[in-house]
Every structure is written in structure tokens, then in C-alpha cells.
């Protein structure tokens, strides 16, 4: 296999990695906010359930979680989930837990005076949250979100456990069939570039929010 | 009809009985200054008046409309949230530490609630906001963000933000306590000009000479009760109660 073929096959895989990355973000960023609400709920049973969910998601390896999502239903009920969907579902569930904790930290760090000023001015609870609190929370948590997003780029490679043909899985396959480590080197470079792009985008967002302190 | 009527207000935090049955009524156009030692319950009284704290018992009414009443069982009950929303429109509150919205420009801080809470027209709100900002010497600041302003300017913006809601009564909780001494003057001047326009105000302050100059009535609170109240000169120059006298003596060097 020529170098150019390797690169082009891995580039195909990179597209799948990017797909996993984007779908995971689109799912876990909003879900994380819901989970954060559950975690802060006044209703104790809900709070406990969410707390257990978060602690499992953060306390066990993501690889294992992906395996459970894919193989679990098949073993228990004989349901087979498409590999790709299983990966997306597993990643979303995992990342939502991390994002939830980040949201919660951001929301709890907001000074009570912001809520009180809004209340006295007559804003409804949802107006207060959407107009006053959430925009400020986004700014506060952006650095932590950036960290997670960069980790996510690398975590897309974990899809190999259920043999989704993303870049890392392909690299492994090519490497063993061609007996060369070159695919890993190329994949490493691709991941690095992927993350550079992500870092630039996140930095832009941070700069966009730097008009106030 | 009084703008504000508070009757026999009691409020405790746990075992700490902070307000022990306070009654306060404020007429239209009246300026009331509340003074008293730290921990006497001044902020708590304002926070109860502005519904930031719920009272345990007593009555609160604005413009003759009851917000909280106490029935046979001795516990205060508040009216429906729809009525509360209406009554909230009667008052404004200026905080000690401003509590401006940092992500909004000065103009947006002022017009956002009129537009999104009171559903007033944006254009009318902007025009009014500009006029108020000009009056407070903040014309050139409408595009600024709070962090770009001095404390005194931020406090003046927060006063404008409250005024833009057309309150019947404005509460101030130590509006100059968070400011450097050289900045207190500009804020006090603004409050004084509001007094001259007969804005109804209740002001908690440690600025004794300001209270004397601007208030129609001074209330001295201590230990959760009103110890003495009356015309500023009477209370402050010739206090009848010994606790008032000893408190005031700390301010005359
Ligand atoms: N949220 C709260 N929880 C518990 N105790 C409180 C709370 N708010 C106030 N207190 C207590 O109530 C008492 C009165 O406090 P308050 O802030 O009303 O006093 P103040 O007269 O405004 O004092 P200062 O001049 O220092 O501002 C104090 O003993 C205070 O510790
Ligand atoms: Mg106070």
C-alpha cells in the first residue's frame, strides 16, 4: 500500500472521527444542562439518581461504557444496536455527565446578587436564567469546556472497541495488514491537526466573550 | 393612601429573631432614612419590603394592595404570584454593590427590564434611558460595560436602571458603602436631586449628615425594633432615647 493510499484511507476514517466528535457535542452539551438541573433539583430522589449516574460515568473507563452500551443490550435482551449509534449514545451519556458538572460549577459560582437584581426588576425565573445567568455561566465555564472538547477529540479513538471504522480503528487495521507503524504516525498527525483547529475555534469563542468581565 | 404600609413585621433566621414587629409606612413623596448599628436588621427590613426575604408574620401593602397578610394562624401569607408580579412593579431597589449585569452594556442594563418585563416599546425605553443617563452625568457611557466604570458611575447606572421601571418608591441599602470615599459624593448628589423631585425613597445609610439633609423622617433601628423616629433634626440633634444618643455620638468626632 502506498503512502498516499494510507493517507487517503485514514482521511476517510478522520471524517468518521469528526462525525463522532460533532454528534457527541451536539447531544451532550444540551443533555449536560438537563443533567445539571437534575443534579441541582430540589427533588431529592431525582438528585440522588443523577448523582449516581454522574459518578458511574466519571468513575469507570469510557471504553468499558462503550462496550456495555453495544454488547449489553445484545447479551441481555438480544437487541442489536448499530455500532455507530452505540458509540454515539455511549459518548453522549459520558460527556453529558462531565459537562453537567461543569455547568453546575458555573451556575453555582454565580453571585446571588445577579438573581436578586433580576428578581426585583421583575424578570421571571426563566428570563433570569436565560438572559442573565446562562450567558455569564457560558463565559465562566468556557475554559473547562475547552479542556473537555480537546479530550473528546482523542476519545473518539475509543470507538475501536466496537470496531467503528473511525481513524484509529482503520490505523490499527492497516498497521496489522501492512506490518508497519506508519498509519499510527499519520493518524497521530491528523489528531494533532484536528485539535489545533478545535483549539483555534475555542480561543475565538473566548475572545468573542471577552468584551466584558 | 400610603405608598408602602408594613405592619408588625416579624422575621427570624433560625433562632435569631431579626425583626421583632416593625411597622413602617411611607407616604408619597416622603424620604425616609433608616439608621442604626450593624446587625440591627436594616437590610433585612428592606429585603422583606422588596420580597427578597419572606416575612414570618405581619402585613405588607403597596398602593393599598396587600402583598402579604397574616391570618388567624399567625403566619404570613403572600398573594398569588400574578398579583406579586404587579406589586413588584411599584418598587425599585438599589443594592450596596450595584449588581449590574456585567454582560450588558450600560444602555442595555437600563432598557432590558422595561422592554422585556414591562413590554414597553424599545424606542421609548431607549429615549428615556438616554435622558436619565444624561441627567446622571453618564451620557458618554451608554456603550460602556460595567467593568469599565468606576464604582460611583456603576451605582449611578444602577439608580437609572431602577428609575427606568417607573417605581412608586425606591429603596436604597447603603448605596455608598461599597464606594471609595471620594466617590460617595457623586452618588449622594444624585439621590439628593431625586429627593428634590419628590421621589419617594427609603434609604438605609451610615452617612449621617446626608440623612439629616435629605430625609423628611429618620428612623433609628436597634435590635430589630424601631427605637426612635421623627424629623431629622429632632432625632439626630436631640435624641430622646439613650440608645439613639449613644449610637449618634459615635458619628460626631
Ligand atoms: N440570610 C441570613 N441568614 C441568617 N442570618 C441572617 C441572614 N441575613 C441576615 N441575618 C442576620 O440578621 C441580623 C440582621 O442583619 P442585617 O443585615 O439586617 O443587619 P443590618 O442592620 O443591615 O447591618 P449592617 O449595618 O451591618 O448592614 C444579623 O444578625 C445577621 O447575621
Ligand atoms: Mg445592611
Amino acid at each position: 500500500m502506498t503512502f498516499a493510499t494510507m493517507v487517503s484511507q485514514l482521511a476517510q476514517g478522520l471524517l468518521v472521527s469528526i462525525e463522532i466528535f460533532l454528534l457527541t457535542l451536539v447531544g451532550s452539551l444540551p443533555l449536560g444542562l438537563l443533567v445539571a438541573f437534575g443534579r441541582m433539583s430540589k427533588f431529592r430522589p431525582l438528585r440522588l439518581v443523577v448523582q449516581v449516574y454522574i459518578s458511574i460515568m466519571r468513575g469507570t473507563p469510557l471504553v468499558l461504557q462503550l462496550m456495555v452500551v453495544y454488547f449489553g443490550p445484545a447479551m441481555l435482551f438480544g437487541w442489536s444496536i448499530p455500532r455507530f449509534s452505540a458509540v454515539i449514545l455511549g459518548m453522549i451519556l459520558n460527556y453529558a455527565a462531565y459537562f453537567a458538572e461543569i455547568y453546575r460549577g458555573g451556575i453555582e459560582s454565580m453571585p446571588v446578587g445577579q438573581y436578586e437584581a433580576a428578581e426585583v426588576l421583575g424578570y421571571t425565573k426563566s428570563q433570569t436564567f436565560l438572559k442573565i445567568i446562562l450567558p455569564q455561566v457560558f463565559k465562566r465555564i468556557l475554559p473547562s469546556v475547552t479542556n473537555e472538547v480537546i479530550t473528546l477529540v482523542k476519545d473518539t479513538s475509543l470507538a475501536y472497541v466496537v470496531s467503528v471504522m473511525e481513524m484509529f480503528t482503520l490505523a490499527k487495521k492497516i498497521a496489522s495488514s501492512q506490518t508497519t507503524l506508519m498509519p499510527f504516525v499519520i493518524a497521530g498527525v491528523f489528531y494533532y491537526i484536528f485539535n489545533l483547529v478545535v483549539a483555534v475555534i475555542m480561543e475565538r469563542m473566548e475572545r468573542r466573550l471577552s468584551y466584558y468581565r | 393612601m400610603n405608598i408602602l404600609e408594613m405592619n408588625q413585621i416579624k422575621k427570624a433566621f433560625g433562632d435569631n429573631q431579626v425583626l421583632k414587629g416593625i411597622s413602617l409606612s411611607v407616604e408619597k413623596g416622603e424620604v425616609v432614612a433608616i439608621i442604626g448599628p450593624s446587625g440591627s436588621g436594616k437590610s433585612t427590613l428592606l429585603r422583606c419590603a422588596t420580597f427578597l426575604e419572606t416575612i414570618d408574620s405581619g402585613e405588607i401593602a403597596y398602593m393599598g394592595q396587600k402583598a402579604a397578610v397574616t391570618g388567624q394562624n399567625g403566619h404570613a401569607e403572600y398573594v398569588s404570584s400574578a398579583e406579586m408580579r404587579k406589586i413588584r412593579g411599584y418598587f425599585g431597589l438599589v443594592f450596596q454593590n450595584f449588581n449590574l449585569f456585567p454582560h450588558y452594556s450600560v444602555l442595555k442594563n437600563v432598557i432590558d427590564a422595561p422592554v422585556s418585563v414591562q413590554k414597553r416599546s424599545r424606542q421609548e425605553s431607549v429615549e428615556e434611558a438616554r435622558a436619565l443617563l444624561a441627567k446622571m452625568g453618564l451620557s458618554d457611557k451608554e456603550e460602556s460595560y460595567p467593568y469599565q466604570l468606576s464604582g460611583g458611575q456603576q451605582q449611578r447606572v444602577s439608580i437609572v436602571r431602577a428609575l427606568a421601571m417607573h417605581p412608586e418608591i425606591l429603596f436604597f441599602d447603603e448605596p455608598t458603602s461599597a464606594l471609595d470615599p471620594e466617590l460617595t459624593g457623586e452618588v449622594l448628589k444624585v439621590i439628593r436631586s431625586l429627593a428634590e423631585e419628590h421621589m419617594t425613597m427609603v434609604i438605609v445609610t451610615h452617612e449621617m449628615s446626608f440623612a439629616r439633609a435629605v430625609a423628611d423622617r429618620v428612623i433609628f433601628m436597634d435590635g430589630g425594633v424601631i427605637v426612635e423616629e421623627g424629623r431629622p433634626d429632632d432625632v439626630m440633634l436631640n435624641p430622646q432615647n439613650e440608645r439613639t444618643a449613644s449610637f449618634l455620638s459615635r458619628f460626631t468626632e
Side-chain angles (χ1 to χ4, degrees):
Chain A
M1 191 184 283
T2 65
F3 182 76
T5 329
M6 253 183 229
V7 170
S8 91
Q9 283 194 10
L10 288 171
Q12 291 296 312
L14 177 61
L15 288 181
V16 179
S17 301
I18 291 174
E19 209 177 330
I20 296 172
F21 171 81
L22 290 178
L23 288 172
T24 302
L25 280 187
V26 165
S28 61
L29 282 171
L31 180 63
L33 193 55
L34 285 181
V35 175
F37 285 142
R39 179 69 180 75
M40 295 184 292
S41 165
K42 288 196 185 79
F43 184 57
R44 209 176 121 88
L46 176 62
R47 209 167 61 225
L48 287 179
V49 168
V50 171
Q51 220 167 324
V52 169
Y53 156 69
I54 290 175
S55 103
I56 291 174
M57 287 298 141
R58 302 209 305 172
T60 61
L62 176 53
V63 191
L64 214 66
Q65 293 166 21
L66 294 181
M67 289 170 69
V68 168
V69 172
Y70 180 63
F71 297 111
M75 276 163 52
L76 291 176
F77 316 109
W79 297 345
S80 77
I81 307 180
R83 293 164 193 282
F84 187 78
S85 310
V87 165
I88 299 300
L89 182 63
M91 301 278 278
I92 287 176
L93 288 176
N94 178 276
Y95 271 80
Y98 281 93
F99 285 134
E101 287 298 271
I102 293 175
Y103 285 127
R104 182 169 72 98
I107 291 169
E108 287 178 350
S109 77
M110 285 297 295
V112 65
Q114 292 289 301
Y115 290 94
E116 293 186 343
E119 186 180 333
V120 171
L121 287 166
Y123 288 92
T124 62
K125 285 237 158 62
S126 61
Q127 279 178 325
T128 303
F129 188 73
L130 293 175
K131 299 183 70 130
I132 309 297
I133 303 301
L134 201 54
Q136 297 186 57
V137 166
F138 273 132
K139 181 185 168 86
R140 283 170 187 236
I141 65 174
L142 204 52
S144 325
V145 170
T146 300
N147 280 337
E148 286 308 319
V149 171
I150 284 173
T151 306
L152 173 59
V153 169
K154 295 173 281 181
D155 277 354
T156 56
S157 65
L158 298 179
Y160 80 88
V161 281
V162 295
S163 311
V164 164
M165 287 299 151
E166 46 71 56
M167 184 161 59
F168 188 71
T169 315
L170 274 173
K172 260 178 48 159
K173 227 179 85 185
I174 300 170
S176 64
S177 68
Q178 307 286 313
T179 55
T180 162
L181 290 178
M182 195 39 122
F184 290 122
V185 176
I186 300 167
V189 171
F190 274 150
Y191 280 120
Y192 186 73
I193 295 171
F194 189 176
N195 253 330
L196 276 186
V197 173
V198 167
V200 167
I201 292 171
M202 296 308 285
E203 204 173 297
R204 274 218 187 139
M205 283 175 72
E206 277 181 45
R207 233 180 302 130
R208 267 192 135 184
L209 289 179
S210 69
Y211 66 91
Y212 74 92
R213 266 176 230 156
Chain B
M1 178 185 57
N2 286 327
I3 304 258
L4 168 65
E5 192 82 55
M6 295 178 90
N7 247 318
Q8 286 302 314
I9 303 298
K10 290 190 182 157
K11 172 71 183 174
F13 293 106
D15 293 338
N16 185 5
Q17 189 70 42
V18 176
L19 301 180
K20 299 175 181 162
I22 291 217
S23 298
L24 167 66
S25 43
V26 184
E27 285 173 20
K28 190 165 178 59
E30 200 181 10
V31 177
V32 177
I34 301 179
I35 60 173
S38 183
S40 56
K42 307 179 298 291
S43 295
T44 305
L45 181 62
L46 284 204
R47 291 174 58 82
C48 287
T50 52
F51 309 150
L52 291 175
E53 301 285 357
T54 52
I55 58 173
D56 299 333
S57 70
E59 285 180 7
I60 305 175
Y62 282 91
M63 313 292 291
Q65 294 170 38
K66 290 192 166 64
V69 292
T70 296
Q72 294 295 319
N73 65 2
H75 296 294
E77 283 183 26
Y78 285 82
V79 295
S80 73
S81 55
E83 284 171 278
M84 290 294 276
R85 199 169 313 128
K86 172 147 184 282
I87 292 172
R88 264 204 185 90
Y90 292 137
F91 60 78
L93 171 62
V94 173
F95 297 84
Q96 183 174 340
N97 51 1
F98 336 131
N99 290 335
L100 290 173
F101 303 131
H103 58 310
Y104 284 172
S105 69
V106 164
L107 187 67
K108 176 104 167 149
N109 261 282
V110 176
I111 65 162
D112 194 66
V115 171
S116 60
V117 173
Q118 295 181 329
K119 313 290 180 204
R120 302 215 309 259
S121 100
R122 197 191 148 78
Q123 198 193 334
E124 176 211 302
S125 304
V126 168
E127 280 166 17
E128 191 192 333
R130 291 206 168 116
L132 283 168
L133 289 169
K135 206 173 107 185
M136 305 280 172
L138 295 163
S139 290
D140 52 338
K141 299 295 180 197
E142 70 173 63
E143 298 301 327
S144 301
Y145 284 83
Y147 81 93
Q148 297 167 312
L149 305 180
S150 73
Q153 289 168 333
Q154 290 188 53
Q155 191 58 299
R156 281 182 283 153
V157 172
S158 89
I159 293 172
V160 171
R161 179 175 71 173
L163 288 172
M165 298 295 280
H166 301 168
E168 295 289 337
I169 179 172
L170 205 46
F171 296 94
F172 296 79
D173 191 0
E174 301 195 32
T176 59
S177 295
L179 302 177
D180 295 335
E182 67 270 23
L183 298 178
T184 61
E186 60 187 63
V187 171
L188 296 182
K189 209 177 102 194
V190 161
I191 300 174
R192 193 180 299 218
S193 74
L194 293 175
E196 280 157 13
E197 294 163 23
H198 304 292
M199 179 78 210
T200 312
M201 296 186 283
V202 176
I203 308 164
V204 171
T205 183
H206 286 296
E207 302 278 341
M208 292 304 147
S209 52
F210 168 74
R212 215 187 117 199
V214 80
D216 301 307
R217 177 156 52 112
V218 169
I219 291 176
F220 172 69
M221 271 180 76
D222 194 8
V225 296
I226 292 179
V227 173
E228 190 165 350
E229 69 180 303
R231 294 215 311 269
D233 283 353
D234 294 344
V235 174
M236 301 179 85
L237 298 181
N238 189 17
Q240 299 302 303
N241 189 292
E242 168 236 324
R243 281 197 283 174
T244 320
S246 102
F247 172 75
L248 287 166
S249 69
R250 280 187 259 151
F251 289 88
T252 44
E253 56 277 79

